[in-house]
Amino acid sequence: MRLLPFLLLPAAALAQSTKPAAPAAPAGYDCLIEPNQRIEIRSPTNALIDRILVERGSAVKAGDTLVLLDGSVEREALAGAQQRAESEAELRVARARADYAREKFRRREDLREQHYITAQDRDEAQAELRVAEAELALAVDNRRLAGIESRRLDAVLKQRALKAPFSGVVTDRLQNPGELAFTGEGSRPILKMAQTNPLRVEVVLPVSVLGQIKAGRPAEITPEAPLKGSWQAQVKVVDRVMDSASGSFGVRLELPNPGGDIPAGVRCKVRFL
């Protein structure tokens, strides 16, 4: 019976040696590399598609023309409005009539003072002057309105050239020249685009690391095989609303991609530095 303590010690030591070790910190969290944004290029009005200057997979820069819509009607209307805005003929005629009516009224006023004509004749001349001055003001307004109309038509005509809002890649082409493009959310888009610089990296983290991940923190992104290498990213958004069901929250990182070498839609691992 006195040997019992000696028998218990190895058992305690054995229990201590077989105690499971604490789990190691993860080497990285699963993430997904996605385009910074995706958009659909639609027509601002119902118009015939004249030309499409890009294809699926084309790399474009911000401001590049992607689609040309038919603008023949607007071009003719613009030419007419510009002609009216630049024309001096109507204005010269109105000024001449006003000058003549003014001089006629002056002469009738002198004759009236000398009692050579009646007051009615003088009043008729004054009325003619007022009409001539109103026509002159109308001519000035018409020319100004023609200038406004020409600028409006020029803006409408510029909308017939659909341009890239950012640098990226054309991901799909859904319509062809000769088809009618309709406006509205329910209409079929002409093109689809994705912004590839910068890319965004989406990752879901457990609540246990809440407070450790803050905006501006650097991270290392490692893509899945067969891609190789790693890239530096930076935390941009940390969700303030947690998912109680899974005990997690979302984080968005920004991954620079100036050369377009990093593909989007790739799974990856993120390790916060």
Side-chain angles (χ1 to χ4, degrees), residues 28 73 76 81 154 181 196 242 259:
V73 176
E76 293 298 328
D154 183 61
T196 56
M242 309 296 113

Side-chain angles (χ1 to χ4, degrees), residues 37-42 54-58 60 66-67 165-166 168-175 187-195:
Q37 58 178 321
R38 300 175 186 267
I39 65 167
E40 296 178 342
I41 303 296
R42 301 175 185 270
V54 292
E55 296 290 342
R56 177 180 174 181
S58 298
V60 298
L66 308 177
V67 180
F166 50 73
V169 176
V170 177
T171 59
D172 205 355
R173 172 173 163 173
L174 303 174
Q175 290 190 270
S187 62
R188 183 173 54 163
I190 303 174
L191 301 171
K192 291 184 179 181
M193 274 191 64
Q195 185 180 13

Side-chain angles (χ1 to χ4, degrees), residues 150-195:
S150 66
R151 291 192 292 271
R152 185 190 71 83
L153 290 171
D154 183 61
V156 171
L157 194 58
K158 287 180 179 179
Q159 290 182 345
R160 295 298 185 267
L162 307 184
K163 300 181 181 295
F166 50 73
S167 299
V169 176
V170 177
T171 59
D172 205 355
R173 172 173 163 173
L174 303 174
Q175 290 190 270
N176 298 298
E179 292 187 81
L180 187 61
F182 293 94
T183 185
E185 289 295 329
S187 62
R188 183 173 54 163
I190 303 174
L191 301 171
K192 291 184 179 181
M193 274 191 64
Q195 185 180 13

